Amino acid sequence: MISISMDYGDLLRYATDILLVTYVFYKIIMLIRGTRAVQLLKGIMVIVITWFLSKYFQLTALHALMNQAFTFGVLAVVIIFQPELRRALEQLGRGKLFSRSSSTQDEEVVSRLVQEVGKSVTYMAKRRIGALIVIERETGLNDYVETGIGINGRVSSELLINIFIPNTPLHDGAVIMRRDMIMAAACYLPLSENNSISKELGTRHRAAIGLSEVSDGIAIIVSEETGQVSFAAHGAMNRNLTEAQLAEMLTEQLQPLSKGKSMGSRWQWRRKHG
């Protein structure tokens, strides 16, 4: 009876150990999801697979080279993942690393977000106030949030309009939103290198398309020259939208599963951008 009790105790301890390690790895993956670290991890996996294959097939020279890569690998990982490690330590210090989080957009939040963004975009379009608004979805945009000025304020049309008023400190760059919170303003986004983009489109449009190419985030652009409203998602753009069209596209993208639709099903995304 004692041995059986000890066996059950060992199984419980091993199961708890495995579950804890699994949870830690899950939180690490969630932390780096949507950042440049994902691509770096893929590169590391290629090196690890190459090391195993070189050992299995007894490729002496290649195996020696991979051993040297592992020798300096720890230092390289610390240098390469410095932003992610810093973010993890900051969240750990604040008690947020293991807190529950959800990117699911409930109907009330989406409805309010669509209303406030729509009001601000309509106001700015009529007055030709240039604007670039990014809304985070599943892919984290922390890398880009950190390039801007922290706001951490609840979204409102008045706040969005005030941010983009010309000749103010936060006018240039993008506003990045998470759910119905404005995380930061004056953020830098990656510019698209797609040669098919129309030459008449400026930096804001290229940044919006670039962001939608590297993440599932969506972007709304107000042209400073024409007042035209555009919407970027999935690496493509729809232009010259009305207020009703913008509201419909926002709702569809933020709640793609609520009506049984797949992302982008209602709209044909034009890869030539215009």
Side-chain angles (χ1 to χ4, degrees):
M1 294 295 294
I2 297 177
S3 62
I4 293 175
S5 177
M6 290 180 61
D7 288 342
Y8 280 130
D10 289 341
L11 287 174
L12 180 61
R13 185 170 65 254
Y14 294 148
T16 303
D17 191 18
I18 292 172
L19 288 174
L20 287 174
V21 171
T22 302
Y23 184 69
V24 169
F25 273 102
Y26 167 76
K27 296 304 292 186
I28 292 174
I29 292 173
M30 293 298 292
L31 181 69
I32 67 174
R33 185 182 64 172
T35 67
R36 290 167 293 183
V38 174
Q39 302 302 322
L40 296 175
L41 277 178
K42 291 179 181 178
I44 291 175
M45 289 302 300
V46 170
I47 294 176
V48 171
I49 293 172
T50 303
W51 182 85
F52 277 110
L53 291 176
S54 65
K55 183 178 180 179
Y56 180 80
F57 291 106
Q58 298 183 354
L59 304 175
T60 307
L62 182 59
H63 189 64
L65 181 62
M66 292 298 102
N67 282 334
Q68 290 298 317
F70 282 124
T71 301
F72 300 99
V74 176
L75 179 60
V77 166
V78 172
I79 295 173
I80 292 172
F81 292 101
Q82 185 269 337
E84 285 71 27
L85 291 172
R86 183 185 65 188
R87 187 181 305 116
L89 292 175
E90 288 176 350
Q91 293 187 8
L92 184 61
R94 297 170 185 166
K96 295 182 179 180
L97 183 59
F98 298 101
S99 61
R100 294 183 63 185
S101 62
S102 173
S103 59
T104 303
Q105 305 276 2
D106 57 63
E107 292 185 4
E108 183 178 349
V109 170
V110 171
S111 177
R112 182 176 182 278
L113 188 151
V114 170
Q115 181 180 3
E116 296 298 327
V117 171
K119 285 169 59 179
S120 64
V121 168
T122 300
Y123 179 94
M124 291 185 287
K126 289 180 179 179
R127 292 159 179 80
R128 296 190 179 183
I129 298 174
L132 174 53
I133 301 171
V134 172
I135 302 176
E136 181 185 86
R137 298 182 70 234
E138 294 295 326
T139 303
L141 300 178
N142 286 332
D143 284 350
Y144 307 113
V145 170
E146 292 176 356
T147 65
I149 307 299
I151 302 293
N152 294 318
R154 197 178 185 198
V155 64
S156 68
S157 58
E158 293 80 7
L159 179 55
L160 284 171
I161 292 169
N162 193 64
I163 288 173
F164 289 109
I165 292 296
N167 302 319
T168 57
L170 301 180
H171 170 67
D172 291 326
V175 159
I176 298 181
M177 299 169 54
R178 180 175 297 150
R179 290 177 63 84
D180 61 344
M181 297 291 291
I182 298 177
M183 304 306 298
C187 299
Y188 293 99
L189 304 181
L191 298 180
S192 175
E193 297 181 359
N194 191 334
N195 294 326
S196 66
I197 297 176
S198 174
K199 300 300 181 182
E200 68 184 41
L201 297 181
T203 304
R204 284 192 183 92
H205 294 81
R206 285 186 170 271
I209 296 171
L211 186 282
S212 69
E213 288 173 342
V214 300
S215 76
D216 65 350
I218 57 179
I220 303 100
I221 313 97
V222 179
S223 172
E224 194 169 354
E225 289 76 22
T226 64
Q228 189 180 86
V229 177
S230 302
F231 189 95
H234 316 303
M237 177 178 289
N238 276 300
R239 301 170 59 191
N240 197 22
L241 301 176
T242 65
E243 183 177 0
Q245 288 174 328
L246 176 62
E248 184 179 353
M249 296 178 78
L250 275 172
T251 302
E252 180 180 322
Q253 291 298 309
L254 295 176
Q255 291 185 319
L257 302 180
S258 63
K259 298 181 181 179
K261 298 178 181 179
S262 60
M263 291 185 297
S265 61
R266 168 65 178 81
W267 299 89
Q268 294 182 351
W269 296 97
R270 293 184 281 275
R271 295 286 168 181
K272 294 184 179 181
H273 315 294

